[in-house]
Amino acid sequence: MNSWLGSVGNFAGKLYRGVATSFIPNLKDSKFYEKGVLTVQEFVLAGDQLVHKCPTWKWEAGKSGLRSKSLPEEKQFLITRKVPCLRRVNNILCGEFIEQKVVGEWVEANTLNSTHIGEDPDDPAIILIDFDKTGEAIIRKAELSSEEKSTDSVKEENKHKNYAKKEENFVDIDDSEDVFASSKASEEIISTRTYDLSITYDFYYQTPRLWLFGYNEKGTPLTKEEMFEDIMSDYANKTVTLESHPHQGINCISIHPCKHAEMMKRIVDRIAENGGKVDVRQTMFIFLKFISSVVPTIEYDYTRDMELE
């Protein structure tokens, strides 16, 4: 019953927003630092920066009949294809991910990885975005100590040693008398899913919006239920729904943008409290950082350093 009511509510909300959007004028003046929202021009600038820093992302025009006149014809939305998803969310919830509330119903899947904002990893002006146990965004400056640099070097050296060991242990099938000696190891191989991720501009909420379309290891499209296996449980059928892509016309998993501006504003404010200022062109990196809390096992590219003003 609750699921049915939720579906009706989502449909009604979508219908209302669709009608309302046609009457809402495009945002002309920047409100990014005041409200965390973007103008169309700022969305395009931020998209250009993402494409420049992360070449796996690119602009696309989409279907001609679905293009918005408010956006450049060749820059209707951003997309990255064949992004690997090695594990299901249920397989990692007991491991390195910890769910914690950040804004309202927004939940952060906290990991050891932080978003870096700065030019140089050794630059003391780098800002790391993380979240503490209370769900507050932690914005801190980071400077690698000589000990940390040494540790990184050791890790890199060990990684190359591991690769060398793998090569030494490689078994040539033509020379091996026991072709099936490694059958046990092959049983442990995880079938890799891939996703096409796209970012559109939501004219109602005036923020970026993420869309996902998944494939299994054979390239067959995933069902809605299968794609929801890669969504944090707190979001499934709640802030994540199956909707028609505005520029492609295909059904995709969509992360609802109703909390995006609020989250963006909070992070920008915390960075300001620590003496920094985010350039509006760099907002896609922060956006993709907190979106990763919804899809923590989809390994898309967003970890690039950003220079603060």
Side-chain angles (χ1 to χ4, degrees):
M1 184 65 175
N2 289 336
S3 177
W4 180 81
L5 289 174
S7 298
V8 171
N10 288 335
F11 176 78
K14 181 182 177 183
L15 184 63
Y16 167 76
R17 289 187 294 274
V19 173
T21 299
S22 61
F23 294 99
I24 297 175
N26 290 339
L27 186 64
K28 298 296 182 182
D29 300 322
S30 178
K31 300 290 183 183
F32 176 65
Y33 297 109
E34 298 173 36
K35 298 181 178 180
V37 297
L38 299 176
T39 64
V40 173
Q41 292 74 20
E42 288 172 335
F43 172 77
V44 174
L45 286 174
D48 286 343
Q49 185 75 353
L50 178 65
V51 171
H52 174 67
K53 293 288 187 179
C54 303
T56 56
W57 289 90
K58 67 176 184 177
W59 283 108
E60 284 211 351
K63 293 187 176 180
S64 58
L66 297 176
R67 291 173 189 160
S68 169
K69 295 180 181 180
S70 299
L71 289 161
E73 187 171 309
E74 74 284 1
K75 295 182 178 181
Q76 295 286 304
F77 66 100
L78 295 150
I79 191 166
T80 180
R81 290 186 170 89
K82 297 183 179 179
V83 179
C85 180
L86 302 178
R87 295 177 290 174
R88 308 291 73 78
V89 166
N90 285 340
N91 295 337
I92 53 90
L93 284 180
C94 295
E96 68 263 39
F97 290 85
I98 303 172
E99 292 188 4
Q100 52 194 29
K101 290 192 176 181
V102 180
V103 175
E105 296 180 346
W106 195 269
V107 177
E108 167 72 6
N110 201 14
T111 71
L112 297 178
N113 296 321
S114 303
T115 292
H116 295 239
I117 302 181
E119 179 75 21
D120 182 353
D122 297 327
D123 190 336
I126 277 186
I127 299 294
L128 303 180
I129 302 175
D130 267 321
F131 298 89
D132 64 17
K133 294 180 180 179
T134 66
E136 286 294 320
I138 302 174
I139 314 298
R140 56 191 174 87
K141 293 185 178 180
E143 181 175 8
L144 288 178
S145 64
S146 57
E147 182 180 346
E148 288 172 323
K149 292 175 184 176
S150 175
T151 300
D152 286 343
S153 299
V154 171
K155 287 181 180 178
E156 187 68 20
E157 184 179 344
N158 288 338
K159 182 174 72 174
H160 290 299
K161 286 181 179 179
N162 289 334
Y163 286 148
K165 285 183 179 180
K166 288 180 181 178
E167 290 181 0
E168 290 175 4
N169 294 331
F170 180 79
V171 178
D172 191 329
I173 291 180
D174 293 332
D175 299 332
S176 176
E177 294 180 0
D178 187 1
V179 176
F180 302 102
S182 61
S183 60
K184 181 178 180 181
S186 65
E187 291 175 358
E188 298 176 358
I189 295 175
I190 300 173
S191 298
T192 303
R193 292 178 174 181
T194 58
Y195 277 86
D196 293 344
L197 278 65
S198 60
I199 303 173
T200 63
Y201 181 77
D202 189 285
F203 286 89
Y204 182 83
Y205 289 102
Q206 300 168 334
T207 64
R209 182 171 186 172
L210 189 73
W211 304 77
L212 305 95
F213 191 88
Y215 305 87
N216 64 20
E217 68 277 7
K218 297 180 180 178
T220 303
L222 299 174
T223 64
K224 173 186 175 182
E225 290 71 25
E226 288 173 328
M227 286 191 284
F228 270 49
E229 292 174 354
D230 299 317
I231 304 293
M232 292 291 284
S233 59
D234 280 41
Y235 300 102
N237 291 311
K238 199 171 185 180
T239 55
V240 178
T241 55
L242 186 70
E243 298 185 35
S244 178
H245 192 286
H247 300 295
Q248 293 180 306
I250 59 174
N251 285 334
C252 300
I253 290 291
S254 174
I255 300 175
H256 201 275
C258 58
K259 298 289 184 181
H260 289 3
E262 185 180 357
M263 173 60 80
M264 187 68 71
K265 177 68 166 60
R266 171 174 285 201
I267 293 175
V268 169
D269 287 347
R270 293 303 298 273
I271 290 176
E273 290 172 6
N274 283 269
K277 185 178 181 181
V278 177
D279 189 308
V280 71
R281 294 171 297 177
Q282 299 159 349
T283 54
M284 288 298 179
F285 300 95
I286 299 177
F287 169 72
L288 289 171
K289 162 63 179 176
F290 65 74
I291 285 295
S292 68
S293 66
V294 185
V295 287
T297 61
I298 300 179
E299 301 176 4
Y300 57 83
D301 190 10
Y302 70 96
T303 52
R304 287 295 183 273
D305 296 337
M306 297 181 288
E307 185 179 1
L308 292 173
E309 291 183 354

